[in-house]
């Protein structure tokens, strides 16, 4: 059997080649520039040759890279077309929804029974993913993501407005005194999401505290690769996390800032249009909202 290069690395290379930039490719793919560079290095190692010229201020395709990019682009487009055609030949009753794990677990799953009652003719498939959905490649009908938009070429409906709380376990909250304003939280252990896929202007401790006029630049504290892990750490009394209200309610976490920081707008950063919120991305006439 012939060996094939890693598909994720091919997509990262194609985007980097098109933009002449790891940073802009990362913005498109919702990856860090470092993650794109790592994928490109994987591909270069697989091929046994360099594709980019690394310069002090960015990168540029070398001659081999230009030839490879020109040959690769139509192959990826054809693969997307063939995959989409094959997907459409499948069971038309199946609707595939892609959502982040925490959103699918805490918000979507409790509502699936109601959806089945209202639309018994639909068979639903739920995929947990934080990566941008490629509707042609991944066979996804609906993608639900936290983000600010815009999403060119897609039909986008806002689903709900997120509210982010500083939360901890009730036991942790009971043991901590002297929290009267958001800045007081800096005295305690802060828990951080550290996803590989970054969301533009996503709500983290830096943004949350800055919204109350508290300067905070360094993400000091425990770091986790997924919101679900951050929630579990907060629930077990490891520290304080900034999370969406829907997630906090599901684990009975105590909104410390809401309870003790009334002078600072109840400790809630309310996000609306132009800021991080939950969005449903819909293609065609099929949507879940």
């Amino acid at each position: 059997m012939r060996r094939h290069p890693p598909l994720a690395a091919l997509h990262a290379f194609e985007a980097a080649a098109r933009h002449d930039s790891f940073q802009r490719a990362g913005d498109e793919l919702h990856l860090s520039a470092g993650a794109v560079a790592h994928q490109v290095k994987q591909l270069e190692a697989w091929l046994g040759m360099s594709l980019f010229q690394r310069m002090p201020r960015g990168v540029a395709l070398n001659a081999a890279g230009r030839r490879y990019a020109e040959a690769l682009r139509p192959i990826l487009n054809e693969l997307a077309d063939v995959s989409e055609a094959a997907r459409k030949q499948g069971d038309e009753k199946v609707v595939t929804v892609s959502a982040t794990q925490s959103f699918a677990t805490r918000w979507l799953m409790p509502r699936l029974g109601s959806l089945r009652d209202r639309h018994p003719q639909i068979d639903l498939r739920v995929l947990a993913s934080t990566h941008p959905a490629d509707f042609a490649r991944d066979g996804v009908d609906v993608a639900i993501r936290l983000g600010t938009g815009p999403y060119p070429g897609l039909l986008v409906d806002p689903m709900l407005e997120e509210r982010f709380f500083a939360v901890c376990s009730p036991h942790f909250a009971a043991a901590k005194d002297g929290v009267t304003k958001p800045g007081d939280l800096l005295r305690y252990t802060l828990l951080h999401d550290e996803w590989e896929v970054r969301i533009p202007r996503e709500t983290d401790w830096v943004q949350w505290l800055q919204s109350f006029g508290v300067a905070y630049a360094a993400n000091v504290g425990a770091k986790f690769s997924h919101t679900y892990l951050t929630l579990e750490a907060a629930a077990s009394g490891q520290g304080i996390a900034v999370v969406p209200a829907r997630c906090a309610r599901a684990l009975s976490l105590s909104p410390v800032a809401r309870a003790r920081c009334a002078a600072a707008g109840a400790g809630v950063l309310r996000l609306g249009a132009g800021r991080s919120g939950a969005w449903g991305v819909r293609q065609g006439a099929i949507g879940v909202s």
Side-chain angles (χ1 to χ4, degrees):
M1 179 178 177
R2 297 178 63 183
R3 293 175 61 234
H4 299 121
L7 187 58
L10 290 177
H11 281 286
F13 166 74
E14 189 279 329
R18 185 160 26 86
H19 290 290
D20 269 331
S21 166
F22 290 166
Q23 182 64 57
R24 289 195 294 273
D27 292 342
E28 176 182 311
L29 300 173
H30 289 250
L31 297 172
S32 67
V36 173
H38 178 71
Q39 295 278 13
V40 170
K41 284 182 180 179
Q42 278 190 321
L43 181 60
E44 289 177 327
W46 192 92
L47 293 170
M49 65 179 183
S50 175
L51 299 171
F52 282 93
Q53 180 182 358
R54 272 74 172 179
M55 298 179 293
R57 291 194 160 190
V59 295
L61 286 169
N62 58 26
R66 283 193 295 273
R67 289 193 298 270
Y68 194 70
E70 291 170 1
L72 177 64
R73 194 163 293 119
I75 293 173
L76 289 179
N77 289 337
E78 183 177 356
L79 177 61
D81 293 341
V82 170
S83 300
E84 176 66 9
R87 188 182 71 84
K88 289 181 177 179
Q89 292 174 2
D91 189 350
E92 295 182 357
K93 290 175 56 180
V94 176
V95 175
T96 299
V97 178
S98 171
T100 62
Q101 180 175 336
S102 57
F103 188 89
T105 303
R106 307 297 180 191
W107 191 92
L108 186 59
M109 291 302 176
R111 292 166 170 79
L112 291 186
S114 174
L115 178 65
R116 282 193 296 270
D117 291 341
R118 293 170 59 186
H119 303 283
Q121 76 281 9
I122 294 178
D123 293 331
L124 199 65
R125 179 187 295 119
V126 179
L127 304 178
S129 174
T130 58
H131 290 270
D134 187 318
F135 291 95
R137 183 189 68 203
D138 302 333
V140 171
D141 298 300
V142 180
I144 303 172
R145 292 292 187 272
L146 188 72
T148 59
Y151 304 97
L154 298 175
L155 178 60
V156 181
D157 287 330
M159 288 183 59
L160 56 88
E161 181 184 69
E162 281 288 29
R163 304 175 72 206
F164 287 79
F165 291 80
V167 299
C168 63
S169 71
H171 175 74
F172 188 94
K176 306 302 177 186
D177 295 322
V179 178
T180 60
K181 56 186 181 297
D184 294 336
L185 299 176
L186 296 178
R187 299 201 301 266
Y188 305 109
T189 301
L190 304 184
L191 308 175
H192 304 271
D193 283 342
E194 199 174 53
W195 292 6
E196 178 186 3
V197 180
R198 307 306 298 175
I199 302 167
R201 299 194 301 280
E202 68 179 296
T203 300
D204 56 12
W205 273 113
V206 173
Q207 187 189 46
W208 195 88
L209 286 167
Q210 285 179 350
S211 73
F212 297 112
V214 179
Y216 179 67
N219 281 325
V220 178
K223 298 176 176 62
F224 303 90
S225 63
H226 198 281
T227 301
Y228 181 79
L229 298 176
T230 310
L231 287 165
E232 291 296 333
S236 64
Q238 301 302 309
I240 305 172
V242 165
V243 299
R246 56 183 168 76
C247 297
R249 287 193 296 267
L251 286 179
S252 300
L253 292 169
S254 176
V256 291
R258 184 185 187 191
R260 304 185 181 187
C261 301
V268 177
L269 174 59
R270 189 177 182 88
L271 300 174
R275 304 289 291 280
S276 296
W279 295 75
V281 180
R282 187 174 67 191
Q283 187 178 46
I286 302 174
V288 177
S289 60

